[in-house]
Amino acid sequence: VVSVVNESIAQWYREAYPGVDPVVVTNAPTGADGVIDLRAQLGIPESALLYLHSGYLAPGRNIALILRAFAQVEDVHVVFVGAGTLLPEVERAAATHPNIHRLPPVEPDQVLAMTRGADVALCLIESGCLSHRLSTPNKMMEAFAAGVPALCSPLAEARRYLGKQADTWVLEDPERDLVSALEQITREDIDAFTSPEIPTWEEGAARLREAYERALAARSH
């Protein structure tokens, strides 16, 4: 039995290993209902769009690019919720630019409520290898589960989930396209966003159990 976390990886295995048909198990995020009012905490007016970067502040997540972009587009805000090795860079930018903010991490069961407090989530994973290009980042799945659009790097799963909406929410080249996206995305774009349906953990776990049962039955015979 081979299990993988998304359909893009499953298709890669089908092509690379003919006869293998992986079971896809998506660990969809869950959390508390409600909304954490990030705007009130940060003093951001309703008229300004608020972007969210959640999770560990580490290399590979285009944090330096995000900081540069928001330093140029000062009429939109970004909040980094998390800690990590790049925290000093984020704090220096926040001290210099009033539209860049930082908050400490929240408990895991509060992540969805926190995500609902933003207009757009950032999922700008650096996609320099196949593993990253075929990944399903937590940031993206948390945003979709919260009903919030995710502005993504060119990930196969982002395109698959978003369909036609990928034209707005997937950047072919984040280094080239992020600033223009921040200048062009409007409240109307956000209101028009339809969150894709995410398979639940329970659905994937049931398929995985069935696959194990078939394999064990075949082995016993």
Side-chain angles (χ1 to χ4, degrees):
V1 175
V2 177
S3 63
V4 297
V5 298
N6 65 44
E7 182 58 34
S8 296
I9 296 174
Q11 187 57 37
W12 185 92
Y13 272 92
R14 293 184 192 111
E15 295 172 359
Y17 301 97
V20 172
D21 189 15
V23 180
V24 177
V25 183
T26 303
N27 192 6
T30 58
D33 294 332
V35 179
I36 294 177
D37 193 345
L38 297 175
R39 292 179 183 279
Q41 292 187 39
L42 302 170
I44 298 172
E46 289 293 332
S47 58
L49 296 184
L50 174 59
Y51 288 73
L52 166 70
H53 181 283
S54 62
Y56 198 60
L57 302 175
R61 302 182 173 200
N62 267 317
I63 289 173
L65 170 62
I66 295 168
L67 293 175
R68 291 196 304 272
F70 279 86
Q72 294 179 56
V73 187
E74 296 184 348
D75 56 344
V76 295
H77 291 250
V78 62
V79 57
F80 292 83
V81 179
T85 57
L86 297 182
L87 177 59
E89 286 84 345
V90 172
E91 290 182 327
R92 281 195 293 270
T96 304
H97 301 280
N99 65 322
I100 298 176
H101 313 270
R102 185 260 167 177
L103 291 172
V106 299
E107 293 297 322
D109 64 355
Q110 292 294 308
V111 169
L112 294 190
M114 179 263 299
T115 304
R116 295 185 194 105
D119 295 303
V120 180
L122 294 171
C123 180
L124 299 178
I125 303 298
E126 296 173 29
S127 51
C129 66
L130 182 64
S131 176
H132 292 165
R133 292 194 296 273
L134 298 185
S135 65
T136 310
N138 289 341
K139 296 172 179 35
M140 180 180 76
M141 302 301 276
E142 290 161 357
F144 294 163
V148 172
L151 188 60
C152 300
S153 46
L155 306 174
E157 283 294 288
R159 293 191 180 281
R160 189 177 71 83
Y161 273 112
L162 288 168
K164 293 180 179 179
Q165 296 183 103
D167 292 343
T168 301
W169 301 110
V170 176
L171 304 182
E172 189 62 37
D173 181 347
E175 184 75 39
R176 180 193 67 202
D177 300 335
L178 179 56
V179 169
S180 60
L182 296 178
E183 292 173 338
Q184 294 170 17
I185 290 171
T186 65
R187 178 74 63 188
E188 288 72 26
D189 294 321
I190 295 167
D191 291 342
F193 173 75
T194 300
S195 190
E197 185 175 342
I198 301 172
T200 66
W201 159 255
E202 288 77 14
E203 292 168 349
R207 288 193 298 272
L208 186 59
R209 177 171 178 165
E210 291 169 1
Y212 284 145
E213 289 172 344
R214 288 194 300 270
L216 289 170
R219 183 178 181 181
S220 66
H221 294 158

